[in-house]
Amino acid sequence: MEGLLTRCRPLATRSPQFCQGLPPRYHHCAPGKRKRLVLSRMFQPQNLREDQVLSLEGRSGELTCKSQQLMLRVGLIHPASPGCYHLLPYSVRALEKLVQVIDQEMQAIGGQKVNMPSLSPAELWRATGRWNLMGKELLRLRDRHGKDYCLGPTHEEAITALVASQKTLSYKQLPFLLYQVTRKFRDEPRPRFGLLRGREFYMKDMYTFDASADAARETYSLVCEAYGRLFDRLGLHCVKVQADVGSIGGTMSHEFQLPMAVGEDRFAMCSSCSFSANMETLDLSQNNCPACQEPLTETRGIEVGHTFYLGTKYSSVFNARFTNERGEPSLAEMGCYGLGVTRILAAAIEMFSTEDCVRWPGLLAPYQVCLVPPKKGSKEAAATELAEFLYDQITEAVPQLRGELLLDDRTHLTIGNRLKDANMLGYPFVIVAGKRALEDPAQFEVRCQNTEEVLFLSREGVLDLLSRVQVV
Ligand code: ATP
Ligand code: MG
């Protein structure tokens, strides 16, 4: 972080008029005492032209969705190879916040975080038959000893072997809800739409181990409810639909679909009851709801999460057992639960942004506030120090916004130009110290970008507003 911070200028040049009401320590802020995050030091390629974005990807035909275009244009991602992206600093901040929200929700239901190797030995996959079943999607490699591996596309085998290695598990310890947030690798036939369908992407995958089928069903509901809360907190209105079990297997499965035209999935929703199902699972001749016979409507969606009830499909292969109430060895009843972490990030941008401007779920915004001081040499330049003082006061009075506040110190640019950039990057709050900051008392222009409100607030008003901002 050190490199992004700059030292505070001494405020000795401040005219007495603007020092009125400021605590004395701000009149002569000791250099180096206080540091500020400044935009000029960010590794943040900005505002690429359409043709530059196209040449970045090198596959113009595939550049077809809003989130991909925007994320490339404003410097959130940079292509590395087909379906693989560098995540640039703003995206990493958003992703880390998303992971924090996920951690909160998973740990609230008893989830314990683990981290398993991406390099996954072939014998695990041969044991379940998936070494062949997964076909070309599995990225395979061989080490110097001639041993085969794949780069993990999912981790049912690995986690079940891990739990099976614990020989003294008792029913009293169950359920175990083990999860991780790691990179997954799938040689997708058509990686596209940026982070929505990559070949290397982040997934949260949870695996649960229960002592009985009934208990496992309860765990299944618990995790689904946690997913519901997670998406609610992000403002993403997902539909939980019945789904196909695919190559993962098991007996019951649901997808969390975010209804959007760009989505590659099709699902049917009943107009009168809560029935909904992925079209893959439905009898295609069926126009009416199998539950209540009312008409079904078809919608496109982005699959952001997927849950499976696995039973003993994997525990029986690896012999993942525990001692039951009668003192006998018994196979664990399993579930697995995925969330597409990088996909959720892109899907949220897809959902909230306009064609030209990124918008984030409030909790995920990489920085909550951007503060824009006046242009150097302009009529309002005298408000520069007020802006800097406001920056320092926010960091002091609103502790949850520490590290969330950027100063757009590119004062060779007009306020208008910097506002354009701020609008594109979607900081929830943009504060301008312009003409009205010279009034007594100073008035700051506050743009609440998610609601499009523009407010003029005193310093106290700004602090009051920002103290109510929710952060992860
Ligand atoms: P899809 O049908 O979209 O290919 P899937 O059903 O194969 O996904 P799962 O095995 O259920 O995927 O993986 C769990 C979650 O990981 C998915 O719900 C999705 O959100 C995410 N995911 C899967 N594949 C990708 C990918 N190629 N890029 C980004 N996220 C992905
Ligand atoms: Mg799926």
Side-chain angles (χ1 to χ4, degrees), residues 346-364:
I349 289 175
E350 191 75 39
M351 176 70 96
F352 294 120
S353 304
T354 67
E355 289 301 323
D356 300 309
C357 299
V358 176
R359 289 293 177 271
W360 311 82
L363 285 179
L364 303 191

Side-chain angles (χ1 to χ4, degrees), residues 227-457:
Y227 277 17
R229 285 190 291 274
L230 171 89
F231 290 123
D232 279 352
R233 286 177 70 187
L234 302 177
L236 298 174
H237 303 295
C238 291
V239 183
K240 181 182 162 198
V241 310
Q242 292 177 25
D244 196 33
V245 293
S247 69
I248 307 246
T251 54
M252 173 168 65
S253 174
H254 291 91
E255 287 166 354
F256 287 74
Q257 294 280 355
L258 190 61
M260 293 203 75
V262 67
E264 295 183 272
D265 283 45
R266 288 159 56 228
F267 64 95
M269 275 196 299
C270 176
S271 47
S272 107
C273 75
S274 63
F275 176 85
S276 57
N278 192 306
M279 295 300 279
E280 286 173 5
T281 69
L282 277 181
D283 173 359
L284 285 181
S285 61
Q286 204 168 350
N287 293 319
N288 291 343
C289 174
C292 73
Q293 313 310 319
E294 290 296 314
L296 291 171
T297 53
E298 194 186 314
T299 308
R300 295 190 81 90
I302 301 177
E303 180 195 320
V304 283
H306 202 160
T307 57
F308 298 84
Y309 178 75
L310 296 172
T312 57
K313 176 178 160 149
Y314 293 87
S315 55
S316 60
V317 174
F318 295 100
N319 214 6
R321 297 197 291 186
F322 65 97
T323 308
N324 68 19
E325 278 169 304
R326 296 180 297 282
E328 299 154 352
S330 180
L331 289 175
E333 291 280 337
M334 290 177 58
C336 74
Y337 309 86
L339 285 178
V341 180
T342 29
R343 185 181 280 184
I344 292 172
L345 193 66
I349 289 175
E350 191 75 39
M351 176 70 96
F352 294 120
S353 304
T354 67
E355 289 301 323
D356 300 309
C357 299
V358 176
R359 289 293 177 271
W360 311 82
L363 285 179
L364 303 191
Y367 294 93
Q368 292 293 335
V369 188
C370 179
L371 185 52
V372 185
K375 181 175 192 246
K376 209 182 203 154
S378 67
K379 283 202 296 282
E380 299 85 37
T384 306
E385 284 148 11
L386 276 178
E388 292 174 353
F389 174 60
L390 180 67
Y391 182 105
D392 295 342
Q393 258 212 332
I394 295 170
T395 33
E396 198 151 292
V398 193
Q400 75 265 30
L401 291 187
R402 276 183 204 150
E404 291 289 331
L405 176 60
L406 265 182
L407 185 69
D408 192 346
D409 62 332
R410 301 170 304 160
T411 50
H412 59 286
L413 300 176
T414 62
I415 288 181
N417 274 331
R418 282 174 289 157
L419 278 180
K420 243 193 242 163
D421 286 348
N423 190 23
M424 267 182 2
L425 282 160
Y427 310 95
F429 299 93
V430 180
I431 305 177
V432 184
K435 221 173 27 228
R436 293 193 57 186
L438 298 173
E439 290 175 7
D440 188 15
Q443 296 290 306
F444 297 96
E445 180 181 332
V446 180
R447 296 174 171 234
C448 310
Q449 299 207 103
N450 287 344
T451 58
E452 294 183 0
E453 260 177 305
V454 180
L455 310 167
F456 282 91
L457 298 175

Side-chain angles (χ1 to χ4, degrees), residues 121-255:
E123 57 264 33
L124 288 181
W125 296 81
R126 291 201 176 104
T128 55
R130 289 211 289 180
W131 185 255
N132 290 330
L133 197 66
M134 298 285 288
K136 288 190 168 168
E137 197 165 304
L138 211 53
L139 277 156
R140 297 160 207 256
L141 57 160
R142 184 165 288 172
D143 74 5
R144 63 173 72 204
H145 307 293
K147 224 168 115 58
D148 289 327
Y149 289 85
C150 69
L151 294 174
T154 176
H155 285 227
E156 286 78 16
E157 281 82 353
I159 194 84
T160 314
L162 172 66
V163 170
S165 73
Q166 311 299 302
K167 295 296 178 204
T168 57
L169 294 180
S170 150
Y171 72 96
K172 293 181 194 154
Q173 292 169 275
L174 303 185
F176 283 135
L177 289 74
L178 304 176
Y179 78 101
Q180 61 175 353
V181 179
T182 58
R183 286 171 181 269
K184 299 291 186 281
F185 300 82
R186 294 183 182 184
D187 199 354
E188 296 275 354
R190 294 194 68 195
R192 57 188 190 145
F193 297 147
L195 298 190
L196 286 178
R197 182 171 297 284
R199 294 200 300 165
E200 178 172 351
F201 56 95
Y202 277 96
M203 191 201 287
K204 187 278 320 179
D205 40 332
M206 179 182 257
Y207 306 91
T208 63
F209 298 82
D210 266 284
S212 70
D214 282 350
R217 274 179 221 288
E218 240 173 73
T219 300
Y220 189 91
S221 309
L222 202 66
V223 181
C224 287
E225 284 160 23
Y227 277 17
R229 285 190 291 274
L230 171 89
F231 290 123
D232 279 352
R233 286 177 70 187
L234 302 177
L236 298 174
H237 303 295
C238 291
V239 183
K240 181 182 162 198
V241 310
Q242 292 177 25
D244 196 33
V245 293
S247 69
I248 307 246
T251 54
M252 173 168 65
S253 174
H254 291 91
E255 287 166 354

